[in-house]
Each structure stands twice: as C-alpha cells, then as structure tokens.
C-alpha cells in the first residue's frame, strides 16, 4: 500500500502561483505514472494532469494547458504541480493519485488510480 502526502496548497490571489508537491512512500515510485486531480463540493473529481513513469510524457486537461506544469523527481519519490496564472475557478482540493500498476499511458479518469493522498486545499481569491 502506497502512502501519498500532498503539500503546498494555500490562499493566493488571481494571477498568482502555487507549487504543489506529492511525496510517495513506495520504493518503486519510479516505475509508475502519477496523476493530479481536483474536486469541489457537488462536482466529480476532475482530471488535472498526469505524467508517465519516465517523466517525459505529460497530459493536461484543456483548462490547465499553458498554466499548469507537472513534473517528477524519481530520486526523491515526489511529483509536483506548478500552477501559474491561477483563477478563482481553480479553487478546489487537489489530490495526488497513484495507479495500481505500471502504466505506459497514464489514465485521465479517477477510476484508473487506486491510491490517493488526503488532498491539499487551493483557494484563489478574486
């Protein structure tokens, strides 16, 4: 069972930036794709970004393209989400997710992941 811990959330003004980090306890972290999702009350968990096990291929939801950047450091078992040009619509709880097995193409659906962090709150003020 992998343990995931997100950090870096907080309050930021419109147009500002935040960098989220997810630390994984699993020693085989480097073999797995990783994903970021977000959720607000009354809405389904929404895909944000994903990265393959190599840290080469990345995937983004359309509304995040050009603003968010996902990266990973396999030596430190961490994955990061750099968020720029933040909007009030980005306000949500952000979750780091780990799939059940090594995937070449990361899933963009929450059903593709079996391990989740506790989430970190991001609030963007207008």
């Amino acid at each position: 069972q992998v343990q995931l811990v997100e950090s870096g959330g907080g309050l930021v003004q419109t147009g500002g930036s935040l960098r989220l980090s997810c630390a994984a306890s699993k020693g085989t972290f480097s073999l797995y794709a990783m994903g970021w999702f977000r959720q607000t009350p009354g809405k389904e968990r929404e895909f944000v970004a994903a990265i393959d096990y190599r840290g080469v291929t990345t995937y983004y939801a359309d509304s995040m393209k050009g603003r968010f950047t996902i990266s990973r450091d396999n030596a430190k078992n961490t994955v990061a989400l750099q968020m720029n040009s933040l909007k009030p619509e980005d306000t949500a709880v952000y979750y780091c997710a780990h799939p059940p097995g090594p995937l070449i193409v990361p899933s963009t659906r929450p059903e593709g992941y079996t391990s989740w962090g506790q989430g970190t709150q991001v609030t963007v003020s207008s």
Side-chain angles (χ1 to χ4, degrees), residues 22-75:
C22 173
S25 63
K26 190 173 180 62
T28 56
F29 173 84
S30 63
L31 301 177
Y32 296 84
M34 295 291 292
W36 283 98
F37 291 77
R38 68 186 185 185
Q39 189 169 27
T40 57
K43 296 183 64 178
E44 296 181 346
R45 193 159 293 189
E46 176 188 20
F47 173 72
V48 174
I51 189 166
D52 76 340
Y53 75 99
R54 302 164 298 170
V56 174
T57 306
T58 57
Y59 306 82
Y60 300 94
D62 287 342
S63 62
M64 288 75 164
K65 290 181 179 178
R67 300 190 300 123
F68 292 8
T69 302
I70 187 172
S71 62
R72 68 190 298 159
D73 186 340
N74 286 344

